[in-house]
Amino acid sequence: MNAREESLQRTEKEILAEKAATLGRAGERLEAALRLCAELRQDLGRAPAIAREAALARYRDARRRALEARHTLIIQREAIGLRNHRLVDQQFPEPPALS
C-alpha cells in the first residue's frame, strides 16, 4: 500500500469515527431529554392544583425539546445511511402529550 492509499484510509477512518461520535452525542442528548421529561411528568403528578399549570408548561417545553432531539437523531441516522428507525421507536419512544 502506498502513502496515498494509507492517507485515504486514515481519512476514511476519521470520517467514520466522527460519524459514530456525532450519532452517539445525538443519542445522549435524546436520552437526557427523555429523562427530564420523565422527571417532570412525575413532578406534574405530585404538583398541587395551584402549581399544575406551571408544571405542565415545563413538561410541554421539555417534551418539545425531546422531540427535537429525537428528530436530530433520526436525521443523523439517515445521514449515515440508516433508514429503518424502528430501533429508535423502541429505544426512545416519544414522551406522551399531556393536557
Side-chain angles (χ1 to χ4, degrees):
M1 183 179 303
N2 64 35
R4 185 174 184 191
E5 290 171 334
E6 287 177 11
S7 178
L8 178 60
Q9 207 171 44
R10 269 194 314 275
T11 301
E12 288 173 344
K13 283 182 181 181
E14 287 178 30
I15 290 169
L16 287 175
E18 186 55 36
K19 285 180 179 181
T22 300
L23 188 60
R25 287 189 299 271
E28 289 169 357
R29 282 191 295 274
L30 177 53
E31 285 177 339
L34 291 173
R35 262 193 315 275
L36 178 61
C37 282
E39 291 169 8
L40 291 174
R41 188 173 180 198
Q42 287 179 350
D43 291 348
L44 181 61
R46 294 187 297 256
I50 195 165
R52 181 164 167 68
E53 283 304 314
L56 185 57
R58 285 190 299 276
Y59 174 81
R60 286 179 178 154
D61 184 56
R63 180 178 184 271
R64 179 190 53 76
R65 285 183 272 130
L67 293 177
E68 288 173 3
R70 190 173 188 279
H71 185 70
T72 298
L73 176 63
I74 288 172
I75 289 171
Q76 290 293 329
R77 288 174 51 85
E78 288 186 0
I80 63 170
L82 300 172
R83 303 280 187 259
N84 184 343
H85 305 300
R86 189 174 33 235
L87 290 175
V88 174
D89 295 336
Q90 292 170 351
Q91 188 171 356
F92 304 110
E94 289 185 13
L98 301 178
S99 54

